Amino acid sequence: MLSSPHRVLFPVAGLAAILGVFGLLFAGGQFARWSPLWGHGAWHANEMVFGFFAAAFAAYSLTAMRSWSVTGVPSTRGVAFMVGLWGVARLAVAGVFGQNPLITVPLGSGFLVVLSMFLGQTAIRSCSGKGGFQASIALILAGLQIATLNGVAVLTASVFVPAALLSVIGGRMIEAFTWNRAHKTARHVRKFRWARVLGIVSAWAIVAAALSRILGLANSSQLHAAPVLLWAVADVTRLALWQSGEVWRDGLLTMLHMSFAWLPIGLVLLAAAGIYPTLISEGEALHALTVGAISGSVYAVAARAVAVRSDRLVPGGVDLLGFWLLWLAAVVRVFGTEEPAVGICLAAVLWGTAWALFLVRHSSALLHPPPRPVFSGRGSEQSGFSI
């Protein structure tokens, strides 16, 4: 069960996805009274980023470190310890241990602090830049969790980090998997080279957007919107350049591409919310990023771990059904219905059904030995695109 980190941490992420939404709907008032955070909405946002996404990030990073670490993945005891820290953090944020920051802050942030320390130490031993980057992401998330538990409102910044990770790391992953399925003609080579250049543009736009917020330029909506829109344009153009008929004949690739499509949508909505707040709220824009891009990408990547193995990976029918229910939940949650309450309830039902299928699928996989490699087919491990 604990032979590979993803086998238990992906189900943990699925459980967090369900509890984070339905806990808000059915027990929000209780969390508002007990949680050390400032209301049930803050608890929900916290759990979506630091509960759900953090578990999924740990599942991927601790499993994929096999490709860059000289020490391999954590031991079974190490995985069990990490899961225990994650559980304690969820209890701390729910207010089980009271509201004293001297207790809630170390317990609530312990999972991410230890994750960043483990990844960082292993990256140093392995002289790995990839590991160092993942350790820095975990460290940033830990810092944001500590800030949140100390009463600092960092919701947008907390969503910004996984969105940036999806663009930079997720973009490279999608590029590599798409290249493996491409015909590799001269035209494809040119398209992928341009996409690689746009990936650099996207990365610098992320830096500019982060600096504009850090330096206080977020108070000037147009100045802050400019790098966000550049990020969106770069990523939607990358996505267009990656397209071919092979993408849509591969279920797992389709899932990755359809999730990534929500990233520029969410970024455009986020920029629009800053300039025209009366037309669209920041909350709707953030849900495009969280429900559509981030959650969809988690679902798509995790589906690769339980896909049927042959010369390539083939998704199971349950995975495809769950993904499209999740994608539809994002559409309903962001663009809604004429009755907002109806749209939220419908989106919650679709969301809960998708993650319930996810839990069943990944829990049943515990009955079988873990596949190797975990996230790619046997014939595609070493065939990434390079200029």
Side-chain angles (χ1 to χ4, degrees), residues 5 119 159 174 202 357 378:
L119 289 172
V159 174
I174 294 171
S202 175
L357 292 173
R378 289 191 297 269

Side-chain angles (χ1 to χ4, degrees), residues 152 225 253 273 275:
V152 181
L253 261 185
I275 301 174

Side-chain angles (χ1 to χ4, degrees), residues 74-85:
S75 66
T76 55
R77 288 184 179 180
V79 174
F81 178 65
M82 293 299 297
V83 173
L85 286 176

Side-chain angles (χ1 to χ4, degrees), residues 330-367:
V331 173
V332 174
R333 182 61 185 86
V334 175
F335 299 107
T337 62
E338 292 184 357
E339 295 292 335
V342 174
I344 290 174
C345 290
L346 177 57
V349 170
L350 292 168
W351 170 275
T353 305
W355 289 108
L357 292 173
F358 181 95
L359 265 179
V360 170
R361 184 80 165 102
H362 286 267
S363 297
S364 63
L366 296 174
L367 302 175

Side-chain angles (χ1 to χ4, degrees), residues 109-133:
S109 60
F111 171 72
L112 284 165
V113 169
V114 172
L115 176 64
S116 64
M117 291 173 61
F118 178 76
L119 289 172
Q121 182 183 44
T122 307
I124 292 172
R125 286 181 179 178
S126 307
C127 298
S128 171
K130 182 185 294 186
F133 178 78

Side-chain angles (χ1 to χ4, degrees), residues 213-241:
R213 184 164 291 272
I214 293 170
L215 296 175
L217 298 181
N219 295 326
S220 175
S221 301
Q222 288 79 7
L223 284 176
H224 181 61
V228 174
L229 288 173
L230 177 59
W231 178 6
V233 170
D235 276 352
V236 75
T237 309
R238 291 166 76 195
L239 184 63
L241 290 170

